[in-house]
Amino acid sequence: MNFLRLAILLSTFIIIFFFKSAHPQILALNVFNYSTHETFIIHVQKPPKSTINMLTVEDYRNYHRSFLPTHTLASGEPRLIYSYHNAISGFAAKLTRDEAKAIEKVPGVLRADPDRALSLHTTHVNDFLGINHNSCFMRDTESAMGAIIGILDAGVLPTHPSFTDRGIAHPPPPGKWRGHCDFKPAMCNNKIVGAKSFNHAGKGLPFDFEGHGTHTASVAAGGIVKNADVLGNARGTAAGAAPRAHLAIYKVCHSGGCLASDVLAGIDQAIADGVDVISLSLGGPAIPFYDDAVAIGALAAIERGIFVSSSAGNSGPARSTVGNDAPWMLTAGASSMDRAILATVRLGNGEEFDGESSYQPIGFTSILLPIVYPGARGGSRVKTCSDGSLNRINVRGKIVLCHTGGTNTSIEKGAIVMRAGGVAMIVVNEEKRRCTVEAEAHVLPTAHVSTSAGGRIIAYLRTMRENPTAVILFKGTVYGNSPAPAVAAFSGRGPSAVNEGIMKPDIVGPGVNILAAWPFPVGPPVVEVGNVTTPTFNVVSGTSASAALLAGVAALLKISHPEWSPAEIKSALMTTADVLDRDGGPIADETLGAAGYLAAGAGQVNPTRANDPGLVYDIQPGDYVRYLCGLGYTDMQVSAISRRAVKCAVVDSMAAEDLNYPAVSVAMGTKMEKTVTRTVRNVCEEEAVYTAKIRAPEGVEASVYPEKLGFSEKNQSMSYNVYLSSGEVGGRRGSVGQGLITWVSNKHIVRSPLLVSFA
Ligand SMILES: *[C@@H]1O[C@H](CO)[C@@H](O)[C@H](O)[C@H]1NC(C)=O
Ligand SMILES: *[C@@H]1O[C@H](CO)[C@@H](O)[C@H](O)[C@H]1NC(C)=O
Ligand SMILES: *[C@@H]1O[C@H](CO)[C@@H](O)[C@H](O)[C@H]1NC(C)=O
Ligand SMILES: *[C@@H]1O[C@H](CO)[C@@H](O)[C@H](O)[C@H]1NC(C)=O
């Protein structure tokens, strides 16, 4: 490569760098230390703006390689893995720890972070997507026709009927689409318009061997498949939130999980390809943003107007378990629906307890069978029916009671029970899972019941020492269950363990027992007829499904409001979310009581209301930079996150509470006063007068000024202040008080949660 050409193209700092890169210290390390090479993500200063458009892909690769001590490892393997263009300014490469440390000292290098293992956000694996496909909104937006949703996940089974472009018409992707489909041409169509795999451990096609990728893609934008058959007789309609949107598949998760460097490569490609929405149902625990490659890539995406929907994680219900907590991402938690696929336990004494299972065997006995509880006297392995724990227990011909948790999934426990000779299983929620019951594709007749139902079944077993009996009655799908929606026990809870000052999660959407496409058969072993494998569906739970659903809803909003920024789409989703359940009570938490903002965010997504929010709160990308400075990050850290040279002393840093977020979250000590400003834009056609209503958290006085906002035209922006003053914090210290700011016109209600963390 012509160094001179690059040197002329690039600015002085890079020239200095070229000399530094040949620094003996780095070379020496390479000579003397052949210890393990790991993948590092290296953030470097961007080439100057004036030259960027002239640089070819190869120029970029050479620029990035020039930071490396050698181009190849002793084994001949190239060091450079990915040269990123959009998601970050930087690259991924194989380095030893010492080499990475040395590179961090080179001018122009902002940071070198070890690659990070992330995981898919499924707990395990429904038909009420909260969206009426015949509603006026769906027809007006043509079900998001023309929008492109990028799914960063475990790949896809492209030949699944959920991804046909026949049935409901799909025009070709819009002209801005630059992506490519790596499957055989016949496998891609006007539904799946792009598919690519990112796996630096090896090549391969973006086929889904896990199921998670196919499921999330179909939840976001799968076509409408009536009579989707889970296991012979648990049927329903499987339909994506945006059934006419295009899908672009980026396989970034493989059998070993997801690596941040692969995810970043997927985001990089999705930005280059021209997607409208990115769906990210993966992540890890919350960490500072400068260490969080996914958050950094997401910021690059939203700066290009791409909406990023992500999952809150499945580590609930404990406090501060939310992940994907950057304010520029939508963080979706999971809620239950009013549907249940019933598997009812009837005990020998006539008591009945409703559970769920998507495996609804036809003709399972209605005669009472003996029931056994191996965990009655035993450790956690036998309580949870973990592999090997049932070897010395006589379960033959019996119904076996197992708790959730331990080393095996509930479906695996079914296989373990079957192998030991059991004929059926009752899965009882461990304490923390409470009422979140899953309808899974079990391999033998099973009922999954709540913690309290399980407690009463166990109480019966204790009183009936001699011969306790039970039967499982499979009653199929029923609707109208209460409470619904309710926040799932596993859904990640706020506040963020690391990045406080922003309400997280933002919103909840259906994520318990979601029926959608699956790449292979599930449930009990079936005899296939010939080589014909029937199209399969599965019922899965997790915040992954919620994030994918929200990605689909965002695509609908993007088509009906192309001028809205990602922050405005998010504002519309949050300020119109439902705060009451179908019975008119506050949204419940499946672990008991009302959910509150730390579990449910602004509430349950209401797509139709989100399409007509009245007012929106916008945030400019530059405000995020000011926010990052406000977090106390160094110039280097902020520069790496925002991919530009930032001097916080110059940019006027901003406190988290001043970000124009559609929720207000402040920390207050005893007798403190705070003023927070927000700006709203009228996105309704007409003139409108809004009146403020404020409900202060207990222990705080709050008022809004002005109390009226009169808009004379569409697009007009106005600001208001929220004044807060606290009394004695005392016993409230450490708790989060909840209030509400509402702007009401004769047509719209615009709600913003108000959170006060007592310090
Ligand atoms: C080589 O690098 C490893 C870590 O990458 C480190 O533990 C070891 O001390 C280094 N050895 C030498 C001789 O520098
Ligand atoms: C149970 O979990 C262990 C550890 O993850 C795994 O090796 C084993 O295969 C599982 N058992 C079944 C029946 O899937
Ligand atoms: C099943 O597949 C095998 C190999 O792919 C083929 O030889 C066989 O003819 C197929 N059988 C049927 C019934 O299609
Ligand atoms: C509203 O404002 C946005 C940006 O502020 C602009 O792009 C858009 O054209 C405006 N719309 C109207 C109807 O004035």
Side-chain angles (χ1 to χ4, degrees):
M1 168 66 203
N2 183 347
F3 266 29
L4 194 63
R5 178 168 151 244
L6 251 185
I8 292 165
L9 273 174
L10 306 176
S11 73
T12 345
F13 80 80
I14 295 165
I15 297 172
I16 292 171
F17 155 73
F18 280 140
F19 292 125
K20 288 272 187 181
S21 75
H23 197 284
Q25 193 192 347
I26 299 179
L27 292 177
L29 279 172
N30 189 51
V31 171
F32 294 118
N33 197 337
Y34 288 103
S35 65
T36 37
H37 291 87
E38 298 166 41
T39 306
F40 281 82
I41 298 170
I42 293 115
H43 298 262
V44 297
Q45 278 175 21
K46 249 188 177 154
K49 243 202 182 110
S50 56
T51 65
I52 285 180
N53 294 336
M54 296 156 64
L55 296 180
T56 65
V57 169
E58 204 40 43
D59 290 340
Y60 261 103
R61 293 185 71 85
N62 282 319
Y63 170 47
H64 289 149
R65 268 191 208 113
S66 67
F67 288 87
L68 295 171
T70 56
H71 288 190
T72 53
L73 299 173
S75 63
E77 191 188 343
R79 282 183 184 262
L80 186 70
I81 298 168
Y82 292 117
S83 183
Y84 302 112
H85 297 244
N86 306 295
I88 67 165
S89 166
F91 55 96
K94 294 264 185 220
L95 295 166
T96 63
R97 279 173 193 226
D98 290 345
E99 287 169 344
K101 246 185 236 153
I103 279 189
E104 269 193 322
K105 299 202 175 71
V106 171
V109 174
L110 300 169
R111 46 189 306 115
D113 297 325
D115 208 352
R116 185 173 173 235
L118 304 168
S119 56
L120 290 166
H121 279 164
T122 321
T123 46
H124 327 287
V125 188
N126 236 347
D127 167 39
F128 161 90
L129 291 180
I131 294 172
N132 176 354
H133 289 274
N134 291 318
S135 77
C136 174
F137 172 42
M138 291 295 280
R139 275 184 273 120
D140 281 0
T141 63
E142 298 274 20
S143 311
M145 192 160 74
I148 305 164
I149 305 177
I151 309 282
L152 280 86
D153 211 293
V156 77
L157 176 68
T159 51
H160 194 282
S162 283
F163 305 121
T164 174
D165 58 357
R166 276 163 285 176
I168 53 171
H170 279 71
K176 64 165 185 167
W177 174 243
R178 295 192 201 306
H180 182 75
C181 176
D182 285 353
F183 290 126
K184 273 190 267 174
M187 288 186 180
C188 280
N189 53 22
N190 286 334
K191 167 57 82 184
I192 295 183
V193 295
K196 218 169 183 55
S197 177
F198 299 86
N199 180 8
H200 65 250
K203 293 209 181 331
L205 290 171
F207 283 107
D208 179 12
F209 303 111
E210 328 268 322
H212 192 273
T214 302
H215 197 265
T216 49
S218 68
V219 168
I224 300 169
V225 182
K226 295 219 170 88
N227 286 318
D229 188 330
V230 180
L231 285 164
N233 55 355
R235 284 169 203 272
T237 302
R244 287 192 169 189
H246 304 292
L247 283 164
I249 306 296
Y250 303 91
K251 177 169 176 171
V252 296
C253 298
H254 308 274
S255 56
C258 334
L259 287 172
S261 57
D262 287 334
V263 176
L264 213 41
I267 297 177
D268 205 60
Q269 189 69 48
I271 296 173
D273 288 351
V275 304
D276 297 299
V277 174
I278 283 176
S279 179
L280 277 169
S281 292
L282 49 88
I287 51 172
F289 299 128
Y290 47 79
D291 279 336
D292 188 345
V294 176
I296 298 175
L299 181 60
I302 68 108
E303 285 182 6
R304 306 283 191 96
I306 300 168
F307 187 87
V308 180
S309 178
S310 65
S311 43
N314 300 330
S315 305
R319 195 181 154 112
S320 297
T321 44
V322 67
N324 291 324
D325 58 345
W328 48 88
M329 297 161 82
L330 180 80
T331 311
S335 59
S336 66
M337 302 180 300
D338 69 338
R339 189 197 69 176
I341 313 177
L342 283 182
T344 303
V345 177
R346 182 191 288 159
L347 299 177
N349 65 6
E351 271 190 287
E352 288 194 5
F353 302 96
D354 284 344
E356 295 199 54
S357 169
S358 60
Y359 174 41
Q360 297 270 314
I362 300 168
F364 184 62
T365 181
S366 51
I367 298 166
L368 290 164
L369 295 167
I371 170 170
V372 54
Y373 178 32
R377 286 172 299 274
S380 70
R381 285 191 57 78
V382 64
K383 267 199 168 57
T384 57
C385 301
S386 294
D387 225 346
S389 68
L390 301 183
N391 293 349
R392 290 168 48 209
I393 296 168
N394 179 12
V395 302
R396 192 155 297 277
K398 296 179 184 170
I399 301 178
V400 182
L401 189 149
C402 307
H403 292 270
T404 61
T407 48
N408 291 94
T409 65
S410 298
I411 292 175
E412 289 172 355
K413 290 170 206 229
I416 293 164
V417 166
M418 197 157 68
R419 221 192 291 139
V423 292
M425 175 172 70
I426 299 172
V427 175
V428 173
N429 272 344
E430 65 208 290
E431 190 61 31
K432 69 173 190 183
R433 289 181 60 95
R434 296 263 182 184
C435 305
T436 302
V437 166
E438 292 180 51
E440 293 182 278
H442 293 285
V443 298
L444 88 171
T446 296
H448 182 167
V449 300
S450 68
T451 308
S452 65
R456 289 167 62 187
I457 296 170
I458 292 167
Y460 161 77
L461 292 173
R462 293 217 167 99
T463 52
M464 290 291 301
R465 261 162 225 268
E466 285 309 301
N467 39 14
T469 54
V471 64
I472 301 175
L473 307 172
F474 294 95
K475 299 181 175 171
T477 304
V478 298
Y479 295 89
N481 268 17
S482 288
V487 180
F490 59 76
S491 187
R493 304 297 203 269
S496 165
V498 183
N499 307 297
E500 289 194 43
I502 300 287
M503 179 187 77
K504 288 288 169 179
D506 292 311
I507 201 163
V508 291
V512 180
N513 298 332
I514 304 294
L515 170 66
W518 200 251
F520 32 76
V522 291
V526 284
V527 181
E528 292 290 344
V529 183
N531 291 351
V532 187
T533 42
T534 48
T536 51
F537 293 85
N538 201 352
V539 176
V540 185
S541 302
T543 52
S544 281
S546 315
L549 180 118
L550 265 299
V553 176
L556 294 169
L557 296 177
K558 190 111 190 174
I559 292 301
S560 73
H561 303 282
E563 74 284 6
W564 285 2
S565 71
E568 290 176 316
I569 292 177
K570 181 165 156 176
S571 167
L573 288 165
M574 287 172 67
T575 62
T576 59
D578 292 334
V579 292
L580 300 180
D581 67 17
R582 52 192 295 282
D583 301 324
I587 291 176
D589 185 320
E590 291 200 318
T591 66
L592 288 183
Y597 300 139
L598 298 180
Q604 167 91 348
V605 59
N606 182 328
T608 307
R609 285 199 49 211
N611 189 39
D612 182 21
L615 305 176
V616 292
Y617 294 79
D618 194 15
I619 300 175
Q620 300 299 325
D623 295 336
Y624 293 125
V625 174
R626 295 174 57 204
Y627 157 83
L628 291 167
C629 287
L631 292 176
Y633 289 1
T634 65
D635 290 354
M636 292 262 263
Q637 289 166 340
V638 178
S639 300
I641 302 169
S642 59
R643 304 165 325 287
R644 57 175 82 85
V646 175
K647 283 202 164 52
C648 282
V650 179
V651 298
D652 185 17
S653 64
M654 178 194 267
E657 64 208 38
D658 291 323
L659 198 62
N660 201 38
Y661 214 70
V664 173
S665 186
V666 299
M668 296 186 87
T670 290
K671 296 211 180 346
M672 225 168 132
E673 297 199 339
K674 276 212 167 158
T675 306
V676 174
T677 306
R678 287 288 182 272
T679 302
V680 286
R681 189 162 76 91
N682 176 23
V683 291
C684 196
E685 295 296 337
E686 307 111 271
E687 306 173 5
V689 177
Y690 283 84
T691 311
K693 283 190 187 160
I694 188 157
R695 196 182 75 219
E698 225 174 292
V700 175
E701 278 180 26
S703 61
V704 174
Y705 187 83
E707 293 176 319
K708 271 193 178 9
L709 296 176
F711 296 90
S712 53
E713 57 188 18
K714 188 179 172 178
N715 240 12
Q716 200 179 353
S717 288
M718 295 187 118
S719 295
Y720 65 90
N721 287 337
V722 181
Y723 299 97
L724 298 162
S725 81
S726 58
E728 290 289 339
V729 165
R732 293 197 182 84
R733 186 166 290 117
S735 70
V736 177
Q738 306 192 54
L740 187 65
I741 303 161
T742 314
W743 288 96
V744 184
S745 77
N746 56 3
K747 283 201 172 144
H748 296 101
I749 300 172
V750 187
R751 275 194 215 94
S752 286
L754 167 61
L755 292 80
V756 177
S757 309
F758 295 103

